[in-house]
Amino acid sequence: MEVLFTTDAIIALLTLTFLEIILGIDNIVFLSIVSGKLKPADQPKARRIGLLLAMLFRILLLFGITWVMSLKESIYDFDWGFLSGHITGQSIIIIVGGLFLLYKSVSEIHHKLEGAEDGENGKASNSLSNAIIQIALLNIVFSFDSILTAVGLISSEPAPKGFGEAALIIMILSVVISIVIMMIFANPVSVFVNKHPTIQILGLSFLILIGVMLLAEGSHLASFRFFGNNEVHSIPKGYLYFSIFFSLFVEFLNMKMKKSSKPVQLHNNTIQGDTDASSK
């Protein structure tokens, strides 16, 4: 326990907590968009359940870290001439998650901009259980990617003597602290996202970027090579999150300059629709 209070352990905890919060941005965006289509009374519940599931999955994966790392082993090797590689458990999970995120993001953009209204309230998905299933499925992928990144960060640094035994505790603490922080800000962030149509579309665009990043990362884990020499590389997360924050910064400037203008209405804008209905 003494190791947990050393300078190295505290720095590692702060670093991992910050990393988990940054990696959790995609989780918050997805939660905001999925929960935004629910009834107002169900939205906080969906966000709480989603974040608790995220914490549970991450902690379970940390306790099963040996199994997670064993998924690096090749399941199937292939060489089709134009494409070669070896499929691993890790690559399958990441690639399937990326495809699901791309499908979900493009479908949501289509529905919000020009899709026909579904259901009696005009909601594409107004079931709490349906929303939680979607959140749980994507949480598995987000959690998997988050844990692999955290383990890679811990492994890349030379550990001080006795630090190895405390590494698991530090990673669990960082997950718990980051989820608590995200729970505090999840509600105001979700209200803000669902209240501003451009932020919704930006958020869905970010999810497309993250889906592409997951596909590239999964392909890299599977060592995909095109025509023998062209290996697929992962996309550095720093580039992705810089583009996200820069886009948000530009949008905040636009919102500041056009504060008085009325925003366009998207399909399934539950919060705005309820506000308009209550004002009548």
Side-chain angles (χ1 to χ4, degrees), residues 19-29 58 182 241:
L19 177 67
E20 288 290 337
I21 293 172
I22 295 298
L23 293 176
I25 290 173
D26 44 18
N27 212 330
I28 291 289
V29 171
R58 281 162 169 78
M182 284 190 281
Y241 288 110

Side-chain angles (χ1 to χ4, degrees), residues 202-255:
L202 270 179
L204 289 165
S205 302
F206 298 157
L207 292 180
I208 291 177
L209 284 177
I210 293 164
V212 171
M213 181 200 71
L214 290 175
L215 287 179
E217 188 173 338
S219 300
H220 178 69
L221 290 171
S223 299
F224 284 170
R225 290 177 179 272
F226 290 94
F227 303 103
N229 297 319
N230 300 313
E231 183 179 356
V232 178
H233 296 281
S234 59
I235 301 173
K237 290 183 173 66
Y239 296 160
L240 180 70
Y241 288 110
F242 171 78
S243 66
I244 289 175
F245 285 120
F246 182 76
S247 300
L248 286 174
F249 173 71
V250 172
E251 179 55 26
F252 287 146
L253 289 180
N254 287 332
M255 289 169 63

Side-chain angles (χ1 to χ4, degrees), residues 33 68 111 159 240 274:
I33 291 168
V68 172
H111 188 83
L240 180 70
D274 291 335

Side-chain angles (χ1 to χ4, degrees), residues 42-204:
D42 290 335
Q43 291 178 15
K45 186 189 300 183
R47 288 191 286 268
R48 283 196 301 270
I49 292 174
L51 288 171
L52 286 173
L53 284 174
M55 182 169 66
L56 177 64
F57 289 148
R58 281 162 169 78
I59 292 174
L60 287 176
L61 287 174
L62 283 172
F63 278 114
I65 198 66
T66 304
W67 171 76
V68 172
M69 300 313 291
S70 72
L71 294 177
K72 283 183 177 180
E73 300 298 323
S74 176
I75 298 173
Y76 174 68
D77 297 328
F78 66 94
D79 188 348
W80 299 335
F82 68 95
L83 177 66
S84 63
H86 55 266
I87 303 296
T88 66
Q90 290 183 359
S91 65
I92 291 174
I93 293 172
I94 297 296
I95 288 174
V96 170
L99 290 173
F100 174 73
L101 199 54
L102 284 176
Y103 166 76
K104 185 65 181 172
S105 304
V106 173
S107 299
E108 287 292 330
I109 289 176
H110 170 80
H111 188 83
K112 285 183 177 297
L113 293 180
E114 54 185 85
E117 299 278 354
D118 296 327
E120 94 181 328
N121 291 325
K123 297 177 181 128
S125 170
N126 57 1
S127 165
L128 178 61
S129 58
N130 186 26
I132 289 173
I133 289 172
Q134 293 182 56
I135 291 167
L137 288 173
L138 209 60
N139 261 330
I140 293 173
V141 179
F142 285 154
S143 300
F144 200 85
D145 183 54
S146 171
I147 293 307
L148 287 179
T149 304
V151 170
L153 183 65
I154 287 284
S155 310
S156 65
E157 299 293 335
K161 185 177 179 181
F163 186 71
E165 297 81 2
L168 179 62
I169 299 175
I170 289 173
M171 285 191 283
I172 291 174
L173 282 175
S174 69
V175 167
V176 173
I177 294 171
S178 63
I179 293 295
V180 169
I181 292 174
M182 284 190 281
M183 277 185 172
I184 294 171
F185 290 99
N187 186 60
V189 168
S190 296
V191 170
F192 181 78
V193 167
N194 287 298
K195 194 175 179 181
H196 296 85
T198 51
I199 296 294
Q200 290 184 53
I201 300 302
L202 270 179
L204 289 165

